[in-house]
Amino acid sequence: MTDTATVRTRVRIPLTFGDGYSANAEAVTFNGLADGREHLALLLGHRPLARTPLVRLHSECLTGDVFGSARCDCGPQLREAVERIAETGGILLYLRQEGRDIGLYNKLDAYALQDQGLDTYQANTALGLPEDGRDYRAAAQILTALGATAVDLLTNNPDKPRQLRAHGIDVRETVPTGVHATPSNLRYLRAKAEHTGHTIRLIG
């Protein structure tokens, strides 16, 4: 169970991506989140009350989401998630947890270590930081505030449903995202699959 959060503001935002895809979203902000951060929920598509919503927990990635960095798969995952959720009805949580919650500068420091041969987890550890410092308690608070206490979760990361369930959210099904592999992110994706059990099928 998690502490109570309340809705602060709701506002309509038309979304448009670089490839021309567009969707209408209702952006929702909150009071009382456990970590005090400005996380955002985007409600997409038509969601009948009797239907389990499709939900994506997307951690902020300035380099991937905004600048289109090919070192990760964050930007393509965000684009994919918006379209899939808009089709079925559900919620995208945009969580302010840059670099698995180590922050932007530390993430770029970790990139520099990856250029020397470390993988993404080894680089974080070499900086004296957690491999993955994300806590999804606030995400559970947001879903509860929106009345979405039973969800289908769009993710390849087994830690996300595990944490949500621990905070009282009924994750009925996990739905894998696509694999957005490039020559620049293949080592990164392989580390996620091999080190933390992400459900990513890589060829070669």
Side-chain angles (χ1 to χ4, degrees):
M1 191 58 66
T2 189
D3 296 335
T4 301
T6 57
V7 170
R8 179 177 182 270
T9 306
R10 293 176 179 262
V11 61
R12 300 295 299 183
I13 298 178
L15 308 178
T16 303
F17 290 82
D19 62 0
Y21 174 76
S22 62
N24 289 314
E26 182 180 22
V28 187
T29 64
F30 301 88
N31 292 313
L33 295 179
D35 58 13
R37 299 186 188 179
E38 294 184 329
H39 304 302
L40 185 69
L42 296 176
L43 278 55
L44 296 153
H46 176 64
R47 182 171 61 91
L49 293 178
R51 194 168 173 183
T52 303
L54 182 63
V55 170
R56 167 77 181 164
L57 310 185
H58 186 90
S59 296
E60 178 181 40
C61 176
L62 180 71
T63 51
D65 297 341
V66 177
F67 297 116
S69 168
R71 291 189 66 138
C72 64
D73 57 346
C74 301
Q77 280 193 327
L78 178 62
R79 164 66 178 81
E80 175 195 4
V82 169
E83 183 171 4
R84 291 179 67 175
I85 295 171
E87 287 174 353
T88 63
I91 307 164
L92 186 141
L93 271 59
Y94 197 81
L95 303 172
R96 313 301 298 275
Q97 301 171 329
E98 182 78 46
R100 296 196 200 94
D101 211 20
I102 66 172
L104 178 61
Y105 278 18
N106 283 329
K107 182 177 82 171
L108 295 176
D109 290 343
Y111 277 0
L113 292 176
Q114 290 170 46
D115 289 342
Q116 298 173 28
L118 300 185
D119 71 27
T120 180
Y121 300 102
Q122 292 168 341
N124 282 16
T125 301
L127 292 170
L129 300 167
E131 291 184 346
D132 189 337
R134 290 175 293 183
D135 184 325
Y136 297 106
R137 180 181 173 196
Q141 288 181 298
I142 289 171
L143 292 173
T144 301
L146 294 173
T149 54
V151 304
D152 292 333
L153 194 63
L154 182 61
T155 188
N156 299 323
N157 183 350
D159 190 45
K160 291 180 179 180
R162 185 183 306 123
Q163 285 204 38
L164 286 184
R165 288 179 177 124
H167 291 301
I169 301 298
D170 178 11
V171 180
R172 297 188 177 180
E173 183 179 357
T174 56
V175 181
T177 73
V179 177
H180 304 284
T182 71
S184 298
N185 71 17
L186 192 56
R187 280 185 64 233
Y188 166 78
L189 295 180
R190 184 167 285 115
K192 290 204 297 184
E194 295 176 354
H195 190 77
T196 50
H198 283 58
T199 53
I200 303 171
R201 295 184 179 275
L202 297 171
I203 298 174

